[in-house]
Every structure is written in structure tokens, then in C-alpha cells.
Amino acid sequence: MGFLSGIGRATLVFLAATGRLALFTARGLSHCVRPPFYPRLLVQQMREIGYNSLPVVGLTALFTGMVLALQSYTGFARFNASSAIATVVVLSITRELGPVMAGLMVAGRVGAAMAAEIGTMRVTEQVDALTTLSTNPFKYLVAPRLLAGTLMLPCLVLVADIIGVFGGYVVSIYRLGFNPSAYLTSTAQYLQTIDVVSGLVKAAAFGFIIALMGCYNGYHSKGGAQGVGAATTHAVVSASIMILMINYLLTGLFFS
Amino acid sequence: MSTVSPHSDTPKIELIGVKKAFGPKKVLDGVDLSVAKGESFVIIGGSGTGKSVMLKSILGLLRPDAGTIKVDGEETTHIDGRARDRVMTKFGMLFQGGALFDSLPVWQNVAFGLIQGQGMKRSQARDIAIEKLAAVGLGPDVANLSPAELSGGMQKRVSLARAIATTPEIIFFDEPTTGLDPIMADVINDLIVKCVRDLGATALTITHDMASARKISDRIGMLYQGKLIWQGPTSAIDDSGNAYVDQFIHGRAEGPIQMQVKLG
Ligand SMILES: Nc1ncnc2c1ncn2[C@@H]1O[C@H](COP(=O)(O)OP(=O)(O)OP(=O)(O)O)[C@@H](O)[C@H]1O
Ligand SMILES: [Mg+2]
């Protein structure tokens, strides 16, 4: 009996949490489209999420592309299929690794910062202060972050795609001794628009999730520094897991 | 008890049987209060008796479990959205902890309600902010500092300047003089009196500082165990005939209010 009621209670808690998140999402989205808007804050967030994440995302993409070329070479050489490396690199990067790697890195960098900032504002009553100054915290804090996350992640991923392919190119040419023009030809040969577009759509979804989890956990944090710490952890962990889940779902949608 | 309102018959703020509990803990247990337009009401009471919770309930930051809250005769207990926004424009609030936005410089904190709430031009709002900072004894040199660079008392004063910057009709002060030196505390008292007298604002102040309470209030009420156990004109506080009030205003450890402490 205790076991069953335990399951029941856990289910109820889970449903309540899901409902709260759904409500939060709906509220956040509705404030994205209703004035007043805060363009200054939107630009600030876009700079923070997009521009300031460039080094991290760029480095990640570079090394991912490099390691992809190296790994596929050692694997494919066994089947005399090493000419397929360029295709493997470009497809893996644009379809999967670009968006997922960028998403995870940005979740760690930006999602954590959002949760910490909004969480601190919550526990020091700055969120309440916003309300008393006739400013809706959803409009002022949540909406710019959701918009900036959704807009900037695709831009980041586009850059990551280019850098990742470049990383593969560098390793293939200078380490594995491929012919540059042949490599570039086979890079372009099998690449289709859908490969890049699906990656960018994924990126937009990831950006939204990262900002949503950062804002949601920050907004609902309580109890001082410890609460803010917990909110930050939750924001990063839940965003990362959701990114991997949604990645699977979207891949299924695009390529099945 | 004299509740003759100086300006109009509808109370500016009215609480009827307001209750609020956090889990099993009853914080407000049926608070009744009526503050007239242009009146300055001070709430006194021990630490943790729910004074801040009461203010936040009136502001709509916390939702009471039972009872009614009216502002200008309009029931605001359960309103949301646009209606809530409209009521909120009447309020100014000094939070107990300051609650300054640490991502913005001091002047933008003070001008926040003007710029974001009222859509005023930044340059004009900045001038008003500098003016309000001067009113709380802070020079223009602090305007560009970040709140984290100020002392606790200075932060409190910036917070006060922010609360009055939009010249709200109703101002809530949660411990305005705590953490200030006696002279600055008196400057702040004068400022609060000025807001009420000159600008016709209605003020609801929480304080532990009895000198300040006497100076700024028209009426005083004491919160104890979730209820306003006494309220009356400031002049009547010394002979309230209430043992709790007597003990509180004289700061005696012995009396009907038992502190939950063990000595020795
Ligand atoms: N958000 C909250 N969640 C749970 N309990 C709370 C919350 N806010 C306040 N309380 C509890 O309500 C009680 C009253 O708190 P409140 O802040 O109103 O006290 P106060 O009268 O303002 O005291 P002080 O003079 O020390 O500021 C406290 O016991 C506090 O623990
Ligand atoms: Mg308090």
C-alpha cells in the first residue's frame, strides 16, 4: 500500500510540475507578442547569448569537426571507404553535432547564468520590486530571454557548422593528406538544404528550451543562496536532458 | 478610536478579516485595518509577526487565504492582469531589504518607475532621479555607481528615493530608518512627513523605531499574533491601556509578550 501511494504521490507531483511549467511557458510566450516590448533588453540578451557564446561554441565545433575526421578515417580506412570522410563530417556536423554540442554548451553557459540571475533577483525581492514599479517580470525578464535564445542559437549553430566543417577539412588535408579540392567537392556533393535547415530548426528549439529552463527555475527559486544554487543546477540538467530528448524527436520528424 | 478621514469617506486602504498562513503557520489571522486618504499609519509589532507579509498582501505580491482588501473602495484581493497593473500604479514600495536592481546603476534604479512604468524620456527621468537622490541626502556623484558599491544605509536611501520617484498616491515603507544613523533617520522622517503633507500621499509604514513612529504617524496600530490588537491616534499611544503596547513601546523584556528565548 505504501509503495502504491508513493507512486501515486510521485505522479501527482510530476503532473503538478508539468502543469506549472506549461503555464509558465504559455505566459512567457504570450508576453513575447504583447506590448510593451523591451528592445534594449532583447539586444542585450542577444549579445549575451549569441555573441558572448561564440568562443565556447566555436572551439567546441572546431574540435568536434577535427575529431570526426580523425575517427572516421581510422574507421573507414578498414573498408577502403576513406573518401566518404568529407560527407560524414559535414552531415554529422550540420544534422546532429552542431546543434547538440552548441545547445549543451550554451545550456551550461547561458542557462546557468539566467537561472542564477533571476533566482537572485527573486530571493532578494527584486522581482517583487519590478512588479511594484509597474513592470511585468514576464515581459521584462522572461520574454527577452526566450526570444533571444530562440533567435540566437540558430545563428550560433550556423557558425558552428562552418567552423566544424573547417576543423574536419584541416585535419583531413594537413594530417591525413587528402586533396583539398576533392575534399571540398565531396563535402558539397551530398549536402542538402534539409541537412542544414533541420539543424537550425533544432537549434531554435534548443535555444528556447535553454532560456525557458533558465527563467523557470530562476523564477521559482526560493530560500537564499542555496535555493539559487539548486535552481542553477536544475536549469542546466533539465535543459540538457530536454535537448537530447527533443533532438531525438525532431530527428525522427525530419528524417523518417 | 477616531477614524474621521480628513479628505473623503472611502478609505484609501481597507483590510477586512485578512488571513494568511504559510503551511501550518498562521501569520495573519484576521487583520482589520482602514487607512484614510492622506493619512500616515504606522504599524508596530515584534519581529516575525507578519508586518511585511501584510504589506505584501496589500500590494498583491502575496494572495491572502481569506478576507478582503480594498484600495480606493475597489476590491483588489483577487484581481489580475490589467486591473492589477492599474492598481499597482498607485503604489510605491520601499522593501525591507532594499531590493535594488544590481544590474542597473543607482540613477536608473530611482528612475525605473518613470522610464519603464510611465515611459518618460531617459534624460528627463535622470534629472528627477538626481533630484530624488538629493532629497534622501545623496549627491549626484552616486548616480552612476552600482548599488553594490554603496553602504547598507545608502542602499536603503536609494530604495526610498525609488519608492517616491513616481509620486505615488499610496506609499509603503518597510522599516525606512533601520540601519541609518540618528540624524539621517530624522531626515528620512521629515521626508516621509513631507510626502504625506505636501504631496497628499497616503503612507503605511512599518517601523521598530518608536521615535520615528511618533514623528511620522497620524495613527499607530500594533500587530500581535496575526491581529491588530490595538490601533489609535499617535497621541494616545502612551496611555493606550494595552499592556502589550506598553511593553512594546518601552522595550521591556518582562510583560505579556513572551519572547521565545532561553537565557542561561
Ligand atoms: N514566503 C514565505 N514563505 C514562508 N514563510 C514566510 C514567507 N514570508 C514570511 N514568512 C513567515 O511569516 C512570518 C512573518 O514574516 P514577516 O516578514 O512578515 O515578519 P515581520 O513582521 O516583517 O518581521 P520583521 O520585523 O523582522 O521584518 C515569519 O515567521 C516568516 O517566517
Ligand atoms: Mg519585515
Side-chain angles (χ1 to χ4, degrees):
Chain A
M1 224 38 228
F3 177 66
L4 279 184
S5 71
I7 292 182
R9 210 171 305 124
T11 313
L12 284 182
V13 168
F14 175 74
L15 287 180
T18 314
R20 258 204 315 276
L21 178 60
L23 226 63
F24 187 91
T25 313
R27 254 180 97 185
L29 283 175
S30 81
H31 284 287
C32 286
V33 293
R34 276 186 296 156
F37 303 111
Y38 296 99
R40 190 187 290 264
L41 292 174
L42 179 61
V43 171
Q44 190 185 326
Q45 287 303 322
M46 285 170 78
R47 183 161 4 105
E48 175 59 32
I49 299 174
Y51 186 72
N52 293 351
S53 299
L54 269 177
V56 178
V57 171
L59 277 174
T60 313
L62 181 70
F63 285 111
T64 308
M66 286 166 69
V67 90
L68 257 181
L70 214 54
Q71 280 286 15
S72 4
Y73 179 75
T74 51
F76 287 11
R78 297 179 202 162
F79 310 105
N80 290 326
S82 45
S83 60
I85 289 181
T87 314
V88 168
V89 168
V90 72
L91 290 191
S92 317
I93 291 277
T94 52
R95 283 181 172 201
E96 284 299 328
L97 293 172
V100 171
M101 286 293 190
L104 293 178
M105 293 313 282
V106 174
R109 210 190 82 82
V110 176
M114 281 182 189
E117 187 180 357
I118 298 181
T120 306
M121 291 185 75
R122 163 60 76 196
V123 299
T124 56
E125 298 182 320
Q126 292 178 49
V127 175
D128 289 339
L130 273 180
T131 312
T132 66
L133 292 164
S134 299
T135 305
N136 190 317
F138 268 81
K139 275 202 176 23
Y140 190 81
L141 296 174
V142 179
R145 285 172 171 77
L146 290 181
L147 282 174
T150 315
L151 292 175
M152 290 322 284
L153 251 257
C155 301
L156 277 174
V157 166
L158 201 58
V159 176
D161 285 351
I162 294 167
I163 297 180
V165 170
F166 173 74
Y169 172 85
V170 168
V171 168
S172 303
I173 304 309
Y174 295 102
R175 173 116 191 238
L176 308 173
F178 278 73
N179 177 306
S181 69
Y183 187 91
L184 285 180
T185 312
S186 50
T187 294
Q189 198 171 19
Y190 295 105
L191 185 67
Q192 292 176 335
T193 320
I194 183 76
D195 299 322
V196 178
V197 169
S198 70
L200 298 185
V201 171
K202 281 178 178 180
F206 298 166
F208 180 78
I209 291 295
I210 291 166
L212 180 70
M213 294 325 285
C215 293
Y216 176 79
N217 285 289
Y219 198 82
H220 291 288
S221 63
K222 39 179 161 295
Q226 200 182 11
V228 175
T232 310
T233 311
H234 278 155
V236 177
V237 172
S238 54
S240 305
I241 292 177
M242 284 172 84
I243 283 174
L244 296 174
M245 270 166 39
I246 289 175
N247 182 46
Y248 177 78
L249 293 178
L250 286 179
T251 306
L253 272 182
F254 274 113
F255 300 109
S256 64
Chain B
M1 202 175 66
S2 72
T3 41
V4 190
S5 51
H7 297 288
S8 98
D9 292 339
T10 345
K12 198 76 182 166
I13 308 169
E14 193 173 14
L15 276 71
I16 307 160
V18 171
K19 295 188 180 182
K20 178 76 191 172
F22 293 102
K25 183 174 192 170
K26 282 187 194 160
V27 177
L28 301 181
D29 193 17
V31 174
D32 298 301
L33 171 70
S34 168
V35 184
K37 184 168 192 298
E39 190 179 36
S40 172
F41 195 97
V42 163
I43 299 162
I44 57 174
S47 187
T49 47
K51 305 182 296 298
S52 300
V53 168
M54 178 174 147
L55 238 55
K56 286 182 193 164
S57 304
I58 303 173
L59 278 162
L61 298 172
L62 291 173
R63 189 149 290 193
D65 304 328
T68 306
I69 296 169
K70 289 183 184 169
V71 176
D72 280 325
E74 178 193 355
E75 156 115 42
T76 63
T77 330
H78 297 291
I79 59 169
D80 262 322
R82 290 265 153 81
R84 170 65 68 192
D85 293 347
R86 188 171 37 74
V87 174
M88 206 54 103
T89 58
K90 298 180 185 176
F91 295 145
M93 166 79 177
L94 163 69
F95 284 85
Q96 189 170 0
L100 293 173
F101 305 126
D102 37 32
S103 58
L104 299 176
V106 164
W107 78 267
Q108 284 189 33
N109 265 283
V110 178
F112 196 92
L114 299 168
I115 298 174
Q116 308 295 355
Q118 302 182 355
M120 188 185 278
K121 277 220 179 63
R122 292 171 77 84
S123 58
Q124 192 188 352
R126 190 188 156 98
D127 293 342
I128 296 181
I130 303 271
E131 205 176 284
K132 299 289 174 185
L133 282 171
V136 296
L138 292 170
D141 47 318
V142 302
N144 288 322
L145 297 181
S146 128
E149 293 172 285
L150 304 182
S151 75
M154 289 164 91
Q155 291 182 8
K156 192 108 204 183
R157 285 186 275 155
V158 172
S159 208
L160 189 75
R162 184 176 70 179
I164 61 172
T166 53
T167 43
E169 295 170 37
I170 304 170
I171 319 179
F172 302 97
F173 299 104
D174 198 340
E175 308 200 0
T177 55
T178 313
L180 302 183
D181 65 80
I183 300 170
M184 192 44 76
D186 206 47
V187 171
I188 298 304
N189 289 338
D190 288 338
L191 182 71
I192 293 174
V193 171
K194 188 162 158 269
C195 285
V196 177
R197 297 267 156 76
D198 300 357
L199 308 173
T202 307
L204 190 55
T205 311
I206 295 173
T207 186
H208 295 293
D209 172 355
M210 284 313 297
S212 165
R214 286 171 202 274
K215 182 154 184 180
I216 63 176
S217 64
D218 299 320
R219 283 198 300 138
I220 298 184
M222 173 150 169
L223 195 64
Y224 181 66
Q225 291 194 337
K227 292 191 175 69
L228 272 180
I229 53 163
W230 182 86
Q231 50 180 313
T234 309
S235 54
I237 186 95
D238 287 312
D239 32 35
S240 61
N242 186 309
Y244 295 91
V245 176
D246 277 343
Q247 187 194 348
F248 189 86
I249 63 175
H250 295 113
R252 285 192 291 257
E254 296 84 35
I257 308 174
Q258 291 299 317
M259 288 290 166
Q260 309 282 323
V261 288
K262 260 209 174 86
L263 295 174

